[in-house]
Amino acid sequence: MNKNIAVIRGDGIGPEIVGEAIAVLDAVAEKFGHSFTYTEAPMGGNAIDACGMPLPDESLAKCLASDSVLLGAVGGPKWDSQPSHNRPERGLLQLRSGMELFTNVRPARMFDVLSAACPLRADIAAKGIDFVVVRELIGGVYFGEHRTETVDGRQKATDIMAYAEHEVRRVAHVAFQMAQKRRGRVTSVDKANVLDTSRLWRRVVSEVAAEYPDVELIHMYVDNAAMQMVRDPSQFDVVVTENLFGDILSDEASQITGSIGMIPSSSLGEGTRGLYEPIHGSAPDIAGQDKANPIGTILAAAMMLRYSFDMAAEADAVERAVGETLKAGYRCGDIMDEGGILVGCREMGAQIRRRI
């Protein structure tokens, strides 16, 4: 099978971690007889430096012409002085919108060998952490109207959160279909006791739930959900929520697994093309020092194989190789523990490739 992958290396440690993920994909291609072609698509701070904008039209066109997109990380202090509409992160929002990627899927899974790195109490961690956050991605307050004005001599800022029924319905279907393949439970997170958008969200999710009688639906307020994730994360299977709440809760979910460097993410739309990335930032303080953990990006590449390319065996091979490498004791700095073998970004990638 031949696939064209648009590559956004990004800023900071982005080029390092993406390089290791590409090397893993090449190892998969060799083992399983595939061919992957990579097309470079600048985005983020590097694109601002080169073109004056975070997402050049040419880069978006390359992503739209690809079978899927692999992204490292964008942003950094160098571009903090940019106006809000031209910051590196704005390019990511524009890319999601341009590709019509309305669902973000972020697994929160703790590898057993890394349980000591979990910040929760040992008795809580022992129950295991294995759930998925399904986040609506191109609606809500991030894509609503933003306005700053002067009223009676004082500045006032307004951000509009808006949702339409179809935006809620389509992401709810993704969550319920995912739960059918997992443990059959959906927790829908909202703030329906305060927000009209959440009351709409709760009604539509309940209507969708009627189409999936084999899946249990639980409604939970966002503040309670944040508490429950640290009190007993084992209760969750699939969590579905809107954009802002999902942004916050998925970061919390990633941290309780032990390290933000271990978690992949996929953004999907109606078709098979998606955007795959680790959830962490560009970490400019360690860029170019061979200290970054590439596992989140490598697992994102595995998600690409599974969800966009229908290559389940290939994805299993990558995930198995990651697990075996960790069991062998290899650790990057962010997951280093007593008795572990400290390695850098390049060596971690090499160890994983050897086990595919």
Side-chain angles (χ1 to χ4, degrees), residues 180-339:
Q180 286 181 317
K181 299 175 183 178
R182 290 176 52 89
R183 301 192 300 276
R185 185 186 308 120
V186 168
T187 302
S188 177
V189 175
D190 58 42
K191 193 62 176 171
N193 57 336
V194 176
L195 301 176
D196 282 348
T197 50
S198 283
R199 284 188 276 273
L200 173 70
W201 181 280
R202 183 170 291 211
R203 176 178 66 78
V204 174
V205 170
S206 297
E207 291 173 358
V208 173
E211 302 179 38
Y212 300 88
D214 54 334
V215 177
E216 177 187 10
L217 171 62
I218 300 168
H219 294 290
M220 190 175 291
Y221 293 145
V222 63
D223 41 0
N224 185 33
M227 179 184 70
Q228 294 296 333
M229 279 189 183
V230 296
R231 191 189 71 82
D232 181 16
S234 67
Q235 68 184 282
F236 294 107
D237 180 21
V238 176
V239 176
V240 63
T241 190
E242 63 87 44
N243 205 342
L244 174 61
F245 298 160
D247 191 2
I248 296 168
L249 290 178
S250 57
D251 279 354
E252 179 188 8
S254 67
Q255 188 57 42
I256 64 175
T257 64
S259 173
I260 200 170
M262 297 289 297
I263 308 299
S265 171
S266 67
S267 300
L268 306 169
E270 294 288 357
T272 59
R273 182 178 57 233
L275 171 66
Y276 297 87
E277 60 185 309
I279 68 167
H280 57 71
S282 62
D285 56 318
I286 61 170
Q289 301 176 40
D290 193 34
K291 293 181 178 180
N293 184 348
I295 291 179
T297 316
I298 290 169
L299 291 176
M303 292 182 77
M304 177 188 294
L305 294 171
R306 187 180 305 280
Y307 293 135
S308 286
F309 299 164
D310 196 25
M311 298 180 182
E314 292 85 337
D316 288 343
V318 174
E319 292 168 355
R320 184 169 53 249
V322 169
E324 291 175 356
T325 300
L326 294 172
K327 286 181 180 179
Y330 292 96
R331 304 284 189 271
C332 289
D334 62 316
I335 55 173
M336 186 62 184
D337 52 20
E338 186 176 353

Side-chain angles (χ1 to χ4, degrees), residues 81-161:
S81 61
Q82 289 286 325
S84 60
H85 70 274
N86 207 53
R87 293 176 65 92
E89 297 80 6
R90 182 58 58 176
L92 182 56
L93 296 178
Q94 292 168 349
L95 181 63
R96 290 168 177 168
S97 180
M99 293 180 65
E100 298 182 346
L101 306 175
F102 58 81
T103 304
N104 178 252
V105 177
R106 186 182 293 188
R109 175 191 173 197
M110 182 179 68
F111 287 85
D112 291 341
V113 295
L114 297 180
S115 60
C118 177
L120 304 181
R121 288 200 325 259
D123 61 314
I124 297 175
K127 294 182 180 181
I129 301 172
D130 183 9
F131 63 94
V132 177
V133 178
V134 177
R135 165 190 171 194
E136 199 288 321
L137 200 57
I138 57 174
V141 71
Y142 289 173
F143 286 85
E145 179 188 351
H146 306 284
R147 183 174 68 253
T148 301
E149 56 190 328
T150 301
V151 179
D152 296 330
R154 298 176 180 177
Q155 275 206 325
K156 176 184 176 182
T158 303
D159 300 290
I160 303 297
M161 176 187 286

